[in-house]
Amino acid sequence: MARSAEPLVVGRVIGDVLEYFTPSIKMTVIYNNKQVCNGHELFPSAVISRPRVEILGGDMRSFFTLVMTDPDVPGPSDPYLREHLHWVVTDIPGTTDVTFGRELVSYEIPRPNIGIHRFVFVLFKQKRRQTVNPPPSRDQFNTRNFATENDLGEPVAAVFFNAQRETAARRR
């Protein structure tokens, strides 16, 4: 799975959001029967409802934490407010989807205003079923610090999509 980190490097997810890691678990993120692939564009109108996220390759004794963040706030050319937190789910059993986890921060609809934003899903394998502390704010969130503060270790999977503001003509 080492090559699966390459799109994350090219898309600057590794560097802007995460340190380099080797993916070890397969995670699928699906919006309305459309699977998220690294760097593909989705319309904001297609990501209104929270996605189905499935974890493949874990076991029932493992627990995971999922983080969704936007590192391009307010805009990709000057992301001085990076990152904005969109979703956190913890204590997800290892062979299932996130609906069996505990939603720590509710899903927030992506609403990019300026430019093309990356929306990043990061999966961490918890060392045990544990208490993960909610961040004080969605704004100026830092995935690396959140993982360190909650003893989550390195990520085991990540995927991202791009989205930009929809004009009325694009929604048709």
Side-chain angles (χ1 to χ4, degrees):
M1 280 197 198
R3 297 198 68 177
S4 62
E6 288 177 17
L8 300 172
V9 173
V10 172
R12 294 184 343 270
V13 169
I14 292 178
D16 289 349
V17 179
L18 304 169
E19 298 299 324
Y20 187 85
F21 73 99
T22 301
S24 58
I25 295 287
K26 182 159 175 49
M27 171 180 66
T28 59
V29 179
I30 301 167
Y31 282 100
N32 302 318
N33 297 321
K34 183 171 171 87
Q35 184 171 340
V36 172
C37 296
N38 284 319
H40 288 199
E41 184 173 358
L42 296 176
F43 294 126
S45 60
V47 295
I48 291 171
S49 300
R50 66 182 182 185
R52 188 172 82 239
V53 180
E54 298 173 343
I55 300 166
L56 309 166
D59 60 62
M60 286 307 287
R61 295 179 306 252
S62 301
F63 293 94
F64 295 87
T65 293
L66 175 74
V67 173
M68 178 187 177
T69 184
D70 175 358
D72 298 318
V73 176
S77 62
D78 186 19
Y80 65 90
L81 295 175
R82 119 175 358 153
E83 303 165 41
H84 183 80
L85 180 64
H86 282 269
W87 197 25
V88 177
V89 182
T90 66
D91 294 330
I92 305 163
T95 59
T96 187
D97 63 53
V98 299
T99 57
F100 292 97
R102 183 171 64 92
E103 191 173 59
L104 190 65
V105 177
S106 63
Y107 181 76
E108 182 179 280
I109 301 166
R111 289 189 182 106
N113 286 327
I114 304 166
I116 300 171
H117 288 237
R118 296 165 292 167
F119 293 90
V120 182
F121 293 88
V122 183
L123 188 69
F124 296 94
K125 184 175 181 182
Q126 298 172 201
K127 293 184 169 92
R128 64 198 168 289
R129 193 171 207 154
Q130 65 193 64
T131 300
V132 174
N133 297 314
S137 170
R138 288 181 186 262
D139 297 323
Q140 296 182 321
F141 179 77
N142 185 298
T143 301
R144 291 178 181 104
N145 291 347
F146 179 77
T148 300
E149 291 163 5
N150 288 287
D151 196 26
L152 295 174
E154 285 190 349
V156 294
V159 66
F160 77 101
F161 69 90
N162 295 323
Q164 60 185 311
R165 185 176 174 189
E166 280 181 88
T167 62
R170 287 185 78 200
R171 279 190 223 120
R172 289 185 203 152

